[in-house]
Amino acid sequence: MPRPAITPNQNPERSSPPFNALAARRLRAALGMRPEHVAYGLRASYGMPYVTADLVAAWERGTTRPTGRELTALASVLWCSPDELVGRAQVLRDHRVARGLAPEDVARALGIDLPVYLDMEEHGTWRGTERQAAALAELLDLALPVLLTVTGRAGRLSELLREAVTTRWQASVRPVGKMLTSLDRRLVEVTLQELHQEYREHQERTAEAPQRGDYGREFLDRILDHFWTAIESRTGRAQ
């Protein structure tokens, strides 16, 4: 049975990836195509009989977004890669779609049952092993901070870092290192010690001039940024 038409204000998939409407419009114009040409390509080559010129125009206006499958097909019609049409990726699904991969592809590559992978993608809760997380990072080309975010572990790292700078940093080396296995242990030690010292200095500034704000609290609020900046400065590359 044919899929029902989608009006500009509807989208049956509630988890459509972020879409760069401006990029889609520019790419189409550069090819000398009109929305009806794009719609025809999606209907004729990708089995999407419901796609009309109006729907393509709605995508380009940003009043609705293509689903992951539609975005991948649209990229082919516009002779570009899917990641050129994806807006800023925020969750695991966004990064997968940007790479033009189906959930089955990722689940198979990681050795995870498809229903389990889909559940992790839907809820942002990682239940795989560290080895599987490393494989995911390689498959989707994810930097370490991004990997932690999309697998729902950035919050836990933030908690550990706050404990490190506000109490004894030495006690946090092991749990932080266990979470960030790709980082050298010595690098983790030096970074935590450095952040601990910085926090103490911010606390002293607050004590000296409390009317100017709580420098220590501001430092803790951005602890993840401070951590990754410190790592980058010591390794000479972005994580």
Side-chain angles (χ1 to χ4, degrees):
M1 181 177 179
R3 180 175 175 177
I6 304 175
T7 65
N9 293 318
Q10 291 179 301
N11 196 318
E13 294 193 19
R14 55 188 170 85
S15 55
S16 295
F19 181 62
N20 191 330
L22 180 59
R25 185 163 64 250
R26 286 176 173 172
L27 287 165
R28 174 182 59 74
L31 292 172
M33 301 173 71
R34 297 176 61 82
E36 51 264 36
H37 300 147
V38 176
Y40 175 79
L42 293 172
R43 291 195 303 268
S45 301
Y46 296 94
M48 298 179 178
Y50 56 90
V51 176
T52 63
D54 286 342
L55 178 55
V56 173
W59 289 342
E60 294 183 358
R61 288 194 303 270
T63 55
T64 190
R65 297 186 301 181
T67 64
R69 175 172 172 265
E70 290 164 348
L71 186 146
T72 301
L74 179 62
S76 295
V77 171
L78 296 179
W79 290 85
C80 68
S81 62
D83 60 345
E84 292 181 71
L85 297 178
V86 175
R88 184 178 180 183
Q90 308 251 346
V91 297
L92 179 54
R93 185 177 189 277
D94 298 343
H95 289 277
R96 172 179 61 74
V97 171
R99 290 287 164 182
L101 296 172
E104 295 83 357
D105 299 328
V106 179
R108 187 182 310 110
L110 301 183
I112 296 176
D113 290 339
L114 180 58
V116 175
Y117 172 77
L118 289 173
D119 185 71
M120 291 193 294
E121 191 174 272
E122 175 72 17
H123 297 98
T125 303
W126 180 249
R127 300 203 302 275
T129 65
E130 287 300 324
R131 179 188 63 79
Q132 290 169 325
L136 178 68
E138 182 175 357
L139 182 66
L140 301 184
D141 193 23
L142 303 176
L144 186 53
V146 178
L147 175 66
L148 291 177
T149 297
V150 301
T151 55
R153 297 181 293 166
R156 176 54 181 161
L157 176 60
S158 182
E159 292 175 5
L160 291 174
L161 294 176
R162 286 191 177 93
E163 291 176 8
V165 301
T166 58
T167 57
R168 293 181 64 255
W169 65 266
Q170 296 91 336
S172 299
V173 173
R174 187 171 182 277
V176 171
K178 185 177 181 180
M179 178 173 284
L180 308 176
T181 56
S182 62
L183 295 183
D184 180 77
R185 180 185 175 88
R186 179 55 181 165
L187 174 61
V188 173
E189 290 179 351
V190 172
T191 302
L192 293 185
Q193 183 177 17
E194 176 184 300
L195 293 179
H196 179 82
Q197 181 60 37
E198 284 187 41
Y199 175 72
R200 291 185 61 182
E201 292 172 358
H202 284 295
Q203 288 290 78
E204 291 172 1
R205 289 176 62 192
T206 297
E208 293 171 359
Q211 72 278 8
R212 295 185 180 181
D214 190 339
Y215 295 102
R217 172 52 56 188
E218 292 172 5
F219 185 80
L220 291 179
D221 288 343
R222 298 189 57 209
I223 191 63
L224 281 176
D225 292 336
H226 292 306
F227 178 76
W228 294 121
T229 297
I231 292 293
E232 181 178 349
S233 69
R234 291 185 175 279
T235 61
R237 66 180 187 276
Q239 293 298 314

